[in-house]
Amino acid sequence: MNDNWKKIQADIGYGAQSLAVYAQNPFKSRGRHFQEPESPTRTPFQRDRDRIIHSSAFRRLKHKTQVFVYHEGDHFRTRLTHTIEVSQIARSLARALRLDEDLAECLALAHDLGHTPFGHEGEDVMHECMAPYGGFDHNAQSLRVVTHLEHRYAEFDGLNLAWETLEGLVKHNGPLVDDAGAPLGKFKNGELPFAIREYQKQQDLMLGTWPSAEAQAAAIADDIAYDAHDLDDGLRAGLFAIDDMREVPFLADILAEVDHKYPGLEETRRIHEIVRRSITRMVEDVIQEGVRNISELDPQSVEDVRSAGKCLVGFSPAMTAAEKEVKRFLFARVYRHEDVLSVRRLVARVVRDLFARLLAEPDLMPAPWDKCLENLDETSRARRVCDYIAGMTDRYAIEEHRRLFDDTPDLG
């Protein structure tokens, strides 16, 4: 252990220390849109976590694609297993940096609730279909799920989550607008997604500031889990060989370390050693960089984090460059592999067909989606159809296509 790590370990939490002054204090939450009595046994963020886990949208993640469609095997990641893995990494980061673990966990558990069936292909096609009606964004759809589409409680739609949970869900990648209110990032030169614009009218989520450090931890945890586990699934699917990873210096270094320590190790264990070391190096890098950024800024409150003007919990410049190389490798070897693309083309047709048919004949949707359609204009009907399809699992989307069409793609 080097001296730098000894110094860092004197500062980080391990769960035994109290929250840092820059952490989001659950007892200073801005509250919920709909007033409710507080729980006598749970903090607001623990309560949010429980509401997310018990939601219908969370259960459906079990049968939503990560990269490989459900029929391709039982051991590949789904949205649910990915979400659990992100949650574990987010909690580890939050614990080390003395943040509120429950809020970080909430945001990790909720971050993919708005994803369509069939992974990013489903999202891309849904955005294409919804282009004339305001587009589609899975992050904004997650907000729509937890504020509108979940129908569980007697007194309100949605889950009525705490302000800090909604803020982190919307802004986990940073501010959405500049000081003048103009959209930033991928929304630059356009407008914010429908769900965010609509909810902002009800409750101001401070779209021009950075979110809490807990939200930043959940966001970088998503990147770490994605990279490591798509490497794992890609290897297990035979889309590339272990030796192909030598073209990425970050991975080549890990591979050399594993082979030196465990010569002749069987393939499955070799893969696991590579993946777990990838996660460990990235997590430790984020902790070191977080400690450095926090020491430099010396934030005395969560509001200091929001007004810092930059992300405090993320990769170092060196790891940022390394992670980009990993992603470049994954795009070439996994996401653009012909075996993956061939399935993506088939599932794209399923989503397009469903949207076109249901927009033309929305009464074909089952209850309660088929109610009050005569009162909706075309844009509102399109949003209703979009909400219905986005909530589908892979399996249900295929079943609905079979119900409505004579020729459904064979994914097997």
Side-chain angles (χ1 to χ4, degrees):
M1 182 183 299
N2 60 39
D3 291 339
N4 187 43
W5 264 114
K6 290 179 181 177
K7 181 179 182 302
I8 289 172
Q9 286 181 331
D11 297 329
I12 64 179
Y14 295 108
Q17 300 176 31
S18 60
L19 293 182
V21 293
Y22 50 81
Q24 179 62 64
N25 187 326
F27 300 108
K28 295 183 179 180
S29 169
R30 299 188 185 200
R32 306 175 189 277
H33 182 57
F34 300 100
Q35 294 300 313
E36 297 181 67
E38 291 297 334
S39 169
T41 59
R42 296 169 293 171
T43 72
F45 306 143
Q46 290 168 349
R47 197 178 191 185
D48 283 359
R49 174 202 59 211
D50 297 346
R51 289 184 174 191
I52 291 163
I53 288 174
H54 288 283
S55 68
S56 299
F58 186 78
R59 289 196 298 276
R60 288 196 297 269
L61 295 177
K62 177 182 178 182
H63 294 295
K64 288 195 176 190
T65 289
Q66 185 68 14
V67 173
F68 298 93
V69 179
Y70 73 93
H71 75 284
E72 295 178 280
D74 291 338
H75 295 283
F76 295 120
R77 267 79 183 181
T78 65
R79 285 281 163 205
L80 180 60
T81 58
H82 166 72
T83 293
I84 293 170
E85 290 163 344
V86 174
S87 173
Q88 177 268 318
I89 295 171
R91 287 195 72 113
S92 295
L93 294 173
R95 186 178 306 120
L97 296 174
R98 296 171 57 205
L99 306 174
D100 188 282
E101 288 184 49
D102 299 312
L103 177 56
E105 182 181 28
C106 271
L107 296 168
L109 293 173
H111 83 283
D112 270 353
L113 292 180
H115 253 296
T116 63
F118 309 125
H120 287 290
E121 183 67 18
E123 179 178 12
D124 291 346
V125 174
M126 186 59 70
H127 180 64
E128 169 195 307
C129 293
M130 285 295 294
Y133 311 104
F136 177 85
D137 175 82
H138 85 267
N139 190 50
Q141 190 70 11
S142 295
L143 177 69
R144 187 161 167 79
V145 167
V146 301
T147 60
H148 179 67
L149 295 178
E150 281 286 323
H151 294 165
R152 304 177 61 80
Y153 296 92
E155 297 182 359
F156 48 79
D157 288 342
L159 304 180
N160 198 30
L161 303 179
W163 184 93
E164 294 77 11
T165 304
L166 298 178
E167 178 221 18
L169 186 60
V170 168
K171 299 187 328 193
H172 66 281
N173 286 324
L176 299 186
V177 299
D178 62 19
D179 292 341
L184 294 169
K186 66 180 180 179
F187 306 120
K188 190 175 182 180
N189 301 321
E191 63 179 3
L192 295 177
F194 167 81
I196 297 175
R197 297 197 316 271
E198 286 298 298
Y199 192 76
Q200 186 69 2
K201 297 174 185 176
Q202 301 179 49
Q203 192 176 33
D204 183 7
L205 296 178
M206 294 175 58
L207 301 182
T209 66
W210 284 86
S212 64
E214 288 83 356
Q216 296 176 31
I220 200 65
D222 188 23
D223 286 340
I224 293 170
Y226 242 121
D227 291 342
H229 298 139
D230 286 355
L231 285 170
D232 189 9
D233 284 351
L235 281 167
R236 294 178 189 279
L239 301 184
F240 60 90
I242 288 180
D243 285 344
D244 292 334
M245 293 192 295
R246 297 186 194 279
E247 65 189 64
V248 181
F250 173 77
L251 299 175
D253 183 51
I254 293 173
L255 182 55
E257 178 185 294
V258 171
D259 288 347
H260 175 74
K261 188 171 184 178
Y262 305 108
L265 189 65
E266 65 182 89
E267 195 83 343
T268 55
R269 295 178 191 268
R270 195 175 176 215
I271 291 171
H272 177 68
E273 289 295 328
I274 294 166
V275 170
R276 79 183 187 94
R277 279 170 168 75
S278 298
I279 295 172
T280 297
R281 289 191 184 191
M282 289 183 176
V283 166
E284 290 180 352
D285 178 85
V286 171
I287 293 171
Q288 289 190 67
E289 184 69 4
V291 168
R292 188 189 70 78
N293 287 334
I294 290 166
S295 298
E296 183 180 278
L297 179 68
D298 192 25
Q300 295 302 300
S301 69
V302 67
E303 297 310 321
D304 287 349
V305 174
R306 289 193 173 99
S307 62
K310 66 176 184 177
C311 179
L312 300 181
V313 185
F315 292 133
S316 66
M319 186 59 77
T320 296
E323 196 262 349
K324 285 182 179 177
E325 288 298 316
V326 173
K327 272 194 167 59
R328 192 172 293 118
F329 177 86
L330 287 168
F331 267 97
R333 299 286 186 157
V334 178
Y335 312 139
R336 294 290 179 261
H337 192 284
E338 181 53 35
D339 288 354
V340 174
L341 290 176
S342 63
V343 174
R344 290 185 66 167
R345 286 190 285 268
L346 294 177
V347 298
R349 178 187 148 199
V350 170
V351 176
R352 283 195 193 94
D353 286 352
L354 286 174
F355 184 86
R357 181 72 181 275
L358 294 174
L359 183 61
E361 302 177 73
D363 56 335
L364 290 174
M365 292 188 290
W369 299 96
D370 61 342
K371 304 300 182 187
C372 304
L373 294 169
E374 64 277 2
N375 298 325
L376 301 179
D377 59 26
E378 184 177 1
T379 297
S380 298
R381 285 199 306 275
R383 187 62 58 183
R384 175 81 66 89
V385 171
C386 172
D387 288 339
Y388 175 54
I389 296 174
M392 293 180 178
T393 64
D394 295 10
R395 183 182 305 170
Y396 185 68
I398 293 294
E399 290 174 353
E400 279 295 88
H401 196 278
R402 289 196 180 109
R403 177 175 75 89
L404 298 174
F405 296 93
D406 294 331
D407 180 23
T408 296
D410 180 6
L411 303 183

